[in-house]
Amino acid sequence: MKYISTRDCSIQVDSAQAIAQGISKDGGLFVPQTIPQFTSQELQSMLSMNYQQRACVVLGKYLTDFSEQEIAESVQAAYSTGFDSSDVVPIVEISPKEQIMELWHGPSCAFKDVALQLLPQLLTRAVQKTQGASKSAILVATSGDTGKGALEGFAGVENTEIIVFYPAGGVSRVQYLQMATQVGDNVGVYAIEGNFDDTQTAVKKIFTDPVLNQLLAEDDIQFSSANSINWGRLVPQIVYYTHAYLELVNKGTITMGEKVNVCVPTGNFGNILAAYYAKQMGVPLGRFICASNQNNVLSDFIQTGRYDRHRDFVMTTSPSMDIVISSNLERLLFLLSGQNDTLVRQWMSELGDQGYYQVTPEVFEKLQQEFFGSFCDEENTQQTVARVYQAQNYLCDTHTAVALDVYRQYREFSLDETKTLVACTASPYKFSDSILGALNPNARPVDEFDCIHQLEELTGVPVPKQILELKGQPIRFSKEYPQEEMAQLVKTQLGIKE
Ligand SMILES: *Cc1c(COP(=O)(O)O)cnc(C)c1O
C-alpha cells in the first residue's frame, strides 16, 4: 500500500518511508492512498484476540512493507511490559451510556504512551528498510505529555538519540519531574526560556537547517520526528478504537454491528482522527464528539466550517489541549474532500497567509454529519471533575472532564442515546492540584507529593506507581537555556564537532 501527501497526491512512498520521514517534503502529511477494510468475519474472529493480536491485524493492513514478524516483534516490545493493565487499554463503565476507555496505563500516565511505546520499534525498522543513516536523532518540542512519552519510548533504543525541549516553567510539576529525572544514556532534556510556541518554532528551524543537516549527514545521522504528524503515531491509535469496540461486544454491552459514538478531548486532532479511520475501516462507530477546552478553535470549526487561528491562546488546567493550530485536521480535510489535494493545499496556504480558511459547502455538510463539536470552560471543567466523582464515583483528570462535559452537552442537544466511548487521556494524578482543588477547595497542600497524597486519602484511588516513584529520584536535567543555544545543545548531545 502506498502513502500519499495530503498536498500532492503524486508524491507516493511506502509506509516505512512515510514513518522514517515523518512529514512529506511539500509540507503535507502522509496518508494511506486507500483505507483498508475489515470484513465482518474478520471483526468476528478478532473477538477472541487479545490487545497485541488485534494490534498485529490492524498494523498488518497499513504497514504492508513490514513483515508479519517485524510487526509482531514491534507489538510485543511495545505492549508486553510497561503498561500497568493486562488489557493495555481497559474499559470502565460509569453509566450505561458512558464507557470510559482508559488510555493512560503506560509509563508516562498519558494516552501518548500507547503510540509512543510502539513508534520507536516501527521507526528503527523503517530507517533500516529505507537505508537511512545509521543513527537517528529524534527532536521533540513538548508542552508536557509528549516529552515523557517519547523519552520512555526511545530511552535505550539502539542507534537513537532522543532530544526533548520544553518551555521552562510551562509544564506541570509532575511533568517536570518525569522529564528531569529521565534515565538513559541516549536522552537529553532541555528547559528553554520562552513559551511553547517559541520552542516549537525553534525546533522546526533546527529540523530544516541545511547546515546542521549537512553536519549530521557527515556523521551518518538523520533527524526524525516523534510528533503526532508522523503516521507511525496514528496507526497505533486506530488499534485501540477497534479493541474497545470488540471489548464492548465481549462484555455484552453492545451486540456486534451496533453503532457506538466516540467522544474525545481534542488538541492536535490525532486521537479523534484515529477513531474516524477505524470507522472508515468498518468498525461500527457512529458520531464523533470533539471536545475542546477554552482554546475552542476546533469546535468553532465544526460548527461553522471556518478555521480561524486569530484568537488568544489561553492557558488552561487541561494544558495538553492548549493549541491553536491543530495539525492532524489536515488529514480529515483530505478525506472529507474526496482526496482533493488542490483544495487542501489551498486551505493550508490560506491558513498560513491570512490566518483562516472556509471549507466548501459539500465538505461542511459531511463534517456536520460525522462530527459534533463543543467546548468546556475552566469553571465547568472543575465542576465536572467534582460532579463525576460525587455522582458516578469516578475520578477523572481535567482533559477527560472536558470530554465528559461536552458529551453531556451533546446528549442534551441531540437527544441521541447511543452508547458512547469516552477517551480518558491522563491519570488524574498528573494534574493533582487541579483535581484536589475541584474536590476540596479548602485543601492547602504544601507541595506536589503532599497534594498527591491528600488526593489519595480523599478518594482512595491508588496513585500509579510511575508517579510515586518520581519522589526522591535524582534530578538529571534542570538547567534552563536561551533559545539561541538550542542548535548547539543538539550538536553537543550528538557529539558533532565542526
Ligand atoms: C495530547 C493529549 C490530548 C490531545 O490529543 P490530540 O491527539 O492532540 O487531539 C488530550 N489529553 C491529553 C492528556 C493529552 O496528553
Side-chain angles (χ1 to χ4, degrees):
M1 177 193 300
K2 292 292 180 191
Y3 285 74
I4 52 181
S5 164
T6 47
R7 299 189 195 178
D8 182 354
C9 294
S10 71
I11 297 180
Q12 293 194 359
V13 298
D14 286 334
S15 69
Q17 183 71 33
I19 292 170
Q21 215 174 300
I23 186 165
S24 174
K25 287 201 177 73
D26 64 336
L29 306 186
F30 287 120
V31 285
Q33 194 170 29
T34 51
I35 298 179
Q37 300 292 310
F38 288 122
T39 62
S40 46
Q41 295 96 306
E42 210 169 7
L43 280 178
Q44 199 71 41
S45 70
M46 287 169 80
L47 282 171
S48 58
M49 294 182 181
N50 66 16
Y51 191 92
Q52 284 89 329
Q53 291 166 320
R54 289 169 184 160
C56 289
V57 175
V58 175
L59 262 59
K61 287 178 179 289
Y62 282 100
L63 311 182
T64 47
D65 49 328
F66 284 63
S67 72
E68 231 171 88
Q69 190 188 349
E70 285 171 324
I71 289 174
E73 284 172 3
S74 299
V75 165
Q76 213 46 41
Y79 301 123
S80 58
T81 59
F83 284 78
D84 66 12
S85 163
S86 58
D87 285 350
V88 183
V89 175
I91 317 284
V92 179
E93 178 174 290
I94 63 166
S95 78
K97 304 292 177 207
E98 294 162 300
Q99 305 289 329
I100 305 280
M101 176 170 67
E102 290 186 343
L103 296 167
W104 52 263
H105 289 274
S108 82
C109 297
F111 96 95
K112 308 280 194 298
D113 289 325
V114 186
L116 280 167
Q117 284 291 299
L118 185 57
L119 179 69
Q121 304 297 328
L122 301 178
L123 189 69
T124 44
R125 288 172 176 83
V127 170
Q128 267 173 17
K129 281 176 183 298
T130 54
Q131 302 184 332
S134 56
K135 190 172 201 172
S136 297
I138 316 291
L139 288 185
V140 176
T142 180
S143 57
D145 289 332
T146 303
K148 179 62 174 178
L151 286 164
E152 281 291 329
F154 284 98
V157 173
E158 270 180 44
N159 303 320
T160 307
E161 286 285 328
I162 167 86
I163 305 169
V164 172
F165 296 105
Y166 69 91
V171 300
S172 84
R173 182 77 190 158
V174 166
Q175 289 172 327
Y176 163 76
L177 288 173
Q178 284 186 324
M179 292 191 280
T181 60
Q182 177 66 45
V183 296
D185 294 334
N186 64 335
V187 305
V189 176
Y190 310 98
I192 304 299
E193 293 162 5
N195 65 25
F196 173 63
D197 275 339
D198 302 331
T199 312
Q200 188 165 41
T201 306
V203 165
K204 279 189 190 150
K205 238 167 86 188
I206 293 174
F207 250 114
T208 49
D209 180 341
V211 180
L212 195 54
N213 273 283
Q214 180 57 34
L215 280 173
L216 257 69
E218 284 164 17
D219 281 16
D220 203 13
I221 306 174
Q222 70 185 39
F223 283 136
S224 278
S225 164
N227 278 329
S228 71
I229 50 168
N230 193 318
W231 181 258
R233 264 190 69 179
L234 216 71
V235 67
Q237 300 185 337
I238 301 173
V239 174
Y240 54 68
Y241 286 103
T242 311
H243 165 79
Y245 186 87
L246 296 169
E247 286 303 288
L248 290 181
V249 176
N250 278 344
K251 284 183 185 181
T253 310
I254 54 170
T255 53
M256 184 61 112
E258 183 177 340
K259 283 239 155 61
V260 171
N261 289 342
V262 174
C263 177
V264 183
T266 302
N268 230 340
F269 210 77
N271 199 356
I272 196 166
L273 181 73
Y276 184 78
Y277 268 99
K279 179 175 179 176
Q280 303 312 304
M281 293 177 76
V283 180
L285 301 178
R287 204 86 187 275
F288 300 102
I289 301 156
C290 175
S292 302
N293 66 20
Q294 228 154 306
N295 294 290
N296 56 351
V297 63
L298 275 170
S299 53
D300 276 0
F301 171 68
I302 290 167
Q303 288 171 14
T304 63
R306 178 184 160 107
Y307 194 98
D308 190 343
R309 70 173 162 85
H310 292 302
R311 57 183 71 222
D312 290 333
F313 179 95
V314 189
M315 302 258 279
T316 72
T317 52
S318 47
S320 303
M321 295 153 70
D322 291 346
I323 203 158
V324 175
I325 304 279
S326 195
S327 37
N328 271 301
L329 186 63
E330 181 169 343
R331 288 186 163 117
L332 180 71
L333 297 175
F334 185 75
L335 291 173
L336 292 181
S337 66
Q339 307 209 340
N340 192 328
D341 53 353
T342 314
L343 266 181
V344 172
R345 200 164 58 234
Q346 181 196 322
W347 290 332
M348 291 305 122
S349 81
E350 285 172 358
L351 183 63
D353 299 342
Q354 59 191 31
Y356 64 88
Y357 59 84
Q358 173 84 43
V359 297
T360 59
E362 299 76 46
V363 169
F364 182 53
E365 200 189 315
K366 283 194 200 153
L367 181 70
Q368 290 258 304
Q369 272 166 15
E370 298 271 8
F371 288 83
F372 170 87
S374 189
F375 77 101
C376 169
D377 64 17
E378 287 293 276
E379 201 187 317
N380 265 317
T381 306
Q382 293 268 305
Q383 281 175 5
T384 303
V385 168
R387 172 178 64 82
V388 170
Y389 179 67
Q390 280 144 15
Q392 296 174 288
N393 196 25
Y394 187 74
L395 186 67
C396 71
D397 87 295
T398 43
H399 303 75
T400 308
V402 167
L404 285 166
D405 183 59
V406 170
Y407 174 63
R408 180 193 56 77
Q409 295 176 36
Y410 171 71
R411 244 169 110 179
E412 281 174 12
F413 161 84
S414 66
L415 305 178
D416 181 355
E417 292 291 306
T418 308
K419 286 168 192 141
T420 300
L421 264 178
V422 181
C424 172
T425 50
S427 158
Y429 286 102
K430 255 193 129 159
F431 305 94
S432 49
D433 51 345
S434 306
I435 305 301
L436 183 63
L439 300 187
N440 176 10
N442 299 319
R444 294 285 175 272
V446 293
D447 63 19
E448 184 67 30
F449 286 101
D450 183 34
C451 184
I452 288 170
H453 181 68
Q454 286 194 29
L455 187 56
E456 188 178 33
E457 289 264 280
L458 183 67
T459 63
V461 174
V463 187
K465 76 172 190 336
Q466 303 91 304
I467 288 179
L468 276 184
E469 281 168 2
L470 291 172
K471 196 172 181 175
Q473 292 247 4
I475 302 284
R476 292 183 68 200
F477 307 101
S478 63
K479 248 184 100 178
E480 294 181 12
Y481 302 86
Q483 262 168 61
E484 301 73 56
E485 281 182 32
M486 287 169 65
Q488 186 55 51
L489 290 166
V490 170
K491 283 191 246 175
T492 307
Q493 185 176 332
L494 297 176
I496 290 177
K497 292 172 275 299
E498 281 168 78

